[in-house]
């Protein structure tokens, strides 16, 4: 998707959650898409500007993308909740090249991303 592209009204492009730049006039090679039960589609892009794209790193080219669910009440969920008290329901764990999982969660209005501090 290109920023500003004509998309159905139920498609929302969130262009800076995994990056620091909006897409501008260019497309993105890859995005994370989440479809809600009501059919609403969220495309989460990750432009890093001249440095490329969050989703265009080697880990996202692997056979198994680094995404898994932290179901409410699970060990992963309980650990995340200690650091992110705004987390109330299932979260999507998104891996990074550094091997650190970020937590993507619905905050009641849009998707939010918890980035844990990197350990030295």
């Amino acid at each position: 998707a290109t920023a500003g592209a004509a998309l159905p009204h139920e498609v929302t492009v969130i262009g800076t959650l995994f990056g620091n730049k909006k897409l501008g006039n260019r497309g993105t090679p890859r995005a994370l898409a989440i479809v809600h039960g009501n059919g609403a589609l969220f495309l989460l892009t990750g432009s890093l500007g001249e440095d490329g794209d969050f989703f265009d790193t080697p880990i996202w080219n692997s056979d198994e993308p680094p995404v898994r669910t932290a179901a409410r009440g699970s060990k992963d969920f309980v650990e995340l909740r200690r650091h992110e008290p705004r987390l109330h329901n299932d979260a999507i764990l998104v891996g990074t090249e550094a091997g650190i999982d970020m937590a993507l969660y619905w905050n009641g209005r849009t998707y939010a991303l918890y980035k844990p501090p990197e350990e030295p």
Side-chain angles (χ1 to χ4, degrees), residues 102-113:
M102 296 182 288
L104 178 64
Y105 64 95
W106 182 254
N107 68 11
R109 189 174 49 82
T110 189
Y111 280 96
L113 188 67

Side-chain angles (χ1 to χ4, degrees), residues 1 13 16 65 68 77-78 84 113 117:
V13 178
T16 57
R68 66 184 198 282
F77 180 90
V78 171
E84 182 56 270
L113 188 67

Side-chain angles (χ1 to χ4, degrees), residues 10-11 34-42:
E10 66 273 7
V11 176
I34 300 173
V35 181
H36 284 215
N38 64 3
L41 174 65
F42 290 81

Side-chain angles (χ1 to χ4, degrees), residues 3-111:
L7 297 170
H9 72 280
E10 66 273 7
V11 176
T12 302
V13 178
I14 302 176
T16 57
L17 201 57
F18 288 98
N20 52 30
K21 304 281 184 191
K22 293 191 176 185
L23 288 176
N25 294 328
R26 64 180 179 77
T28 182
R30 201 173 273 113
L32 183 61
I34 300 173
V35 181
H36 284 215
N38 64 3
L41 174 65
F42 290 81
L43 291 175
L44 297 107
T45 64
S47 175
L48 299 170
E50 297 301 317
D51 295 327
D53 189 285
F54 178 87
F55 297 105
D56 198 28
T57 57
I59 196 169
W60 286 93
N61 290 314
S62 63
D63 290 338
E64 292 291 325
V67 177
R68 66 184 198 282
T69 302
R72 186 176 180 170
S74 69
K75 181 181 174 185
D76 284 334
F77 180 90
V78 171
E79 179 64 26
L80 280 169
R81 180 101 165 110
R82 276 189 254 180
H83 302 287
E84 182 56 270
R86 294 174 290 188
L87 182 65
H88 297 291
N89 295 301
D90 295 354
I92 300 168
L93 299 180
V94 180
T96 65
E97 292 295 325
I100 299 169
D101 287 336
M102 296 182 288
L104 178 64
Y105 64 95
W106 182 254
N107 68 11
R109 189 174 49 82
T110 189
Y111 280 96

